[in-house]
Amino acid sequence: MSVITIQCRLVADDETLRHLWEFMAEKNTPLVNEILERLGKHSEFEIWVKTAKVPKTVIKELCDSLKTQEPFIGQPGRFYTPAITLVTYIYKSWLALNRRRQLKIEGKERWLEMLKTDVELEQESKSSLENIRTKSTEILASFATHQTHETNHKVRGRRSRKPKDGKADRPDKVVTIKPSRLFEAYRQTEDALTRCALVYLLKNNCQVSFVEEDLEQYTKQRRKKEKEIEIERLKIQLTSRVPKGRDLTGEKWLETLEQAVQQVTHDEKEAKSWQANLLRKSSSIPFPVVYETTEDIKWKSTIRKDFLFVLTGWESLSLKYIVTKDTFIYFIAF
């Protein structure tokens, strides 16, 4: 997608500019806020979180139902379409972040299921610790060989360089196995001994240890690897951090402050929600009105040979933009 940025100066009388600001701050931004809030309370919200996608038709239906109600009624037709587009962008970004949180949770919980003591690994594999170590050594050697071949293949594709000052080439670096490869191998194999050997390597930082396992240290490691507090925090974020709108007047902040002063929280979750709302810094600028196509722009030329363009839907307000060297406003065309 190409982006063209044009520096423009907005030309209109004070009354027109005031009228434009009222539309953006008192009608369009509250409309976007309301759609965001209703989507977060929608009966299919949990499904959207899992699929990481909100149907645009649902957003349009919400907008259509609201544009006949106060204070959202009476906006130029072109303002409703950008509101739908903006909400789509916001939720698309939020759901992508949410998906990454979900993958983190699944990864940590999967590791919790995998992690076992050496004794438990012996029992699961029905083999001795010595055999597990031997298998771990074979796995490391196999991965190191494969990784070396990949590296050499990449080097052959590059232009060779002559060593400076007659010095010989540096010896090969020690091959480091990435834990992600061991996790992938674990998912792909069903052999009990191989799976136990992979877990053994993962909990020993991808190395074969010949030191007897310290159960106290293992407990600390399990706690560290598990990160129960972080998992719980991520789960709370999945359910509570829905996209928020812009509180231009500070009304929402004052409502939360009044609740915190006059009421007692029912649980810790509600207390954290109040705290987050009070600490959150909301933008004091209205949501932008996005024009996505060139069909929304009409170009004209003036006697002074300036170039003008008029946004569709605003001809009656005499809103025009003069393309000059002055940097007042940025219009972005996609």
Side-chain angles (χ1 to χ4, degrees), residues 40-283:
K41 297 177 181 178
H42 199 281
S43 59
E44 297 184 9
F45 180 75
E46 295 300 328
I47 299 175
W48 300 335
V49 171
K50 291 179 180 178
T51 59
K53 184 178 181 181
V54 177
K56 194 171 182 178
T57 53
V58 176
I59 301 175
K60 185 178 185 305
E61 288 171 2
L62 277 174
C63 183
D64 290 343
S65 65
L66 290 170
K67 68 183 183 181
T68 57
Q69 303 175 21
E70 291 291 349
F72 319 117
I73 194 172
Q75 300 182 54
R78 292 288 176 172
F79 267 38
Y80 296 113
T81 300
I84 295 171
T85 302
L86 187 60
V87 171
T88 303
Y89 288 162
I90 291 173
Y91 258 92
K92 182 178 180 180
S93 175
W94 180 82
L95 287 171
L97 291 173
N98 227 39
R99 181 58 181 164
R100 285 201 284 270
R101 293 191 190 104
Q102 184 62 49
L103 291 174
K104 280 185 179 181
I105 292 173
E106 292 173 0
K108 293 178 188 302
E109 291 178 338
R110 184 167 56 248
W111 172 242
L112 178 60
E113 295 175 0
M114 292 169 55
L115 186 59
K116 296 177 177 66
T117 64
D118 288 349
V119 174
E120 289 173 332
L121 291 176
E122 287 180 306
Q123 294 172 350
E124 185 173 326
S125 65
K126 297 180 181 179
S127 185
S128 65
L129 182 58
E130 188 61 32
N131 288 338
I132 294 175
R133 286 171 175 164
T134 301
K135 187 65 177 178
S136 299
T137 303
E138 293 174 1
I139 292 172
L140 286 179
S142 174
F143 272 95
T145 301
H146 182 70
Q147 197 160 311
T148 301
H149 286 329
E150 287 183 344
T151 303
N152 291 340
H153 180 72
K154 291 179 181 179
V155 171
R156 287 194 204 100
R158 300 174 186 168
R159 203 158 116 194
S160 60
R161 297 179 181 177
K162 294 182 179 180
K164 295 181 180 179
D165 302 327
K167 294 181 180 179
D169 292 338
R170 294 175 58 188
D172 293 338
K173 296 180 179 179
V174 177
V175 178
T176 303
I177 308 301
K178 295 181 179 179
S180 58
R181 292 199 166 194
L182 300 181
F183 275 111
E184 183 63 28
Y186 182 90
R187 286 193 291 269
Q188 293 179 356
T189 185
E190 295 295 333
D191 180 67
L193 179 58
T194 302
R195 289 168 73 92
C196 289
L198 289 165
V199 173
Y200 180 83
L201 287 171
L202 284 166
K203 74 173 186 174
N204 287 291
N205 298 319
C206 301
Q207 297 176 354
V208 178
S209 173
F210 294 95
V211 179
E212 185 177 351
E213 185 174 44
D214 184 347
L215 292 180
E216 184 178 347
Q217 182 63 31
Y218 165 81
T219 304
K220 291 181 180 179
Q221 181 191 37
R222 183 180 178 87
R223 178 69 181 179
K224 179 181 178 182
K225 294 285 186 181
E226 178 185 341
K227 295 184 179 178
E228 292 177 344
I229 297 176
E230 184 176 355
I231 290 176
E232 185 62 27
R233 178 175 58 82
L234 288 170
K235 286 184 176 180
I236 291 174
Q237 289 178 4
L238 284 175
T239 57
S240 63
R241 289 195 177 182
V242 295
K244 302 292 194 302
R246 295 185 176 182
D247 186 13
L248 303 183
T249 62
E251 182 180 351
K252 294 289 184 182
W253 187 89
L254 289 173
E255 287 179 3
T256 304
L257 180 61
E258 186 177 355
Q259 281 182 317
V261 172
Q262 298 182 359
Q263 300 178 23
V264 178
T265 57
H266 294 89
D267 49 38
E268 186 179 356
K269 182 178 179 181
E270 186 177 45
K272 288 183 177 179
S273 175
W274 289 358
Q275 183 184 36
N277 289 335
L278 290 173
L279 295 177
R280 180 172 173 267
K281 294 182 179 180
S282 182
S283 175

Side-chain angles (χ1 to χ4, degrees), residues 285-303:
I285 301 175
F287 279 116
V289 178
V290 182
Y291 283 79
E292 292 188 299
T293 67
T294 55
E295 296 176 357
D296 294 318
I297 307 170
K298 296 179 180 179
W299 291 91
K300 297 180 181 180
S301 179
T302 66
I303 299 176

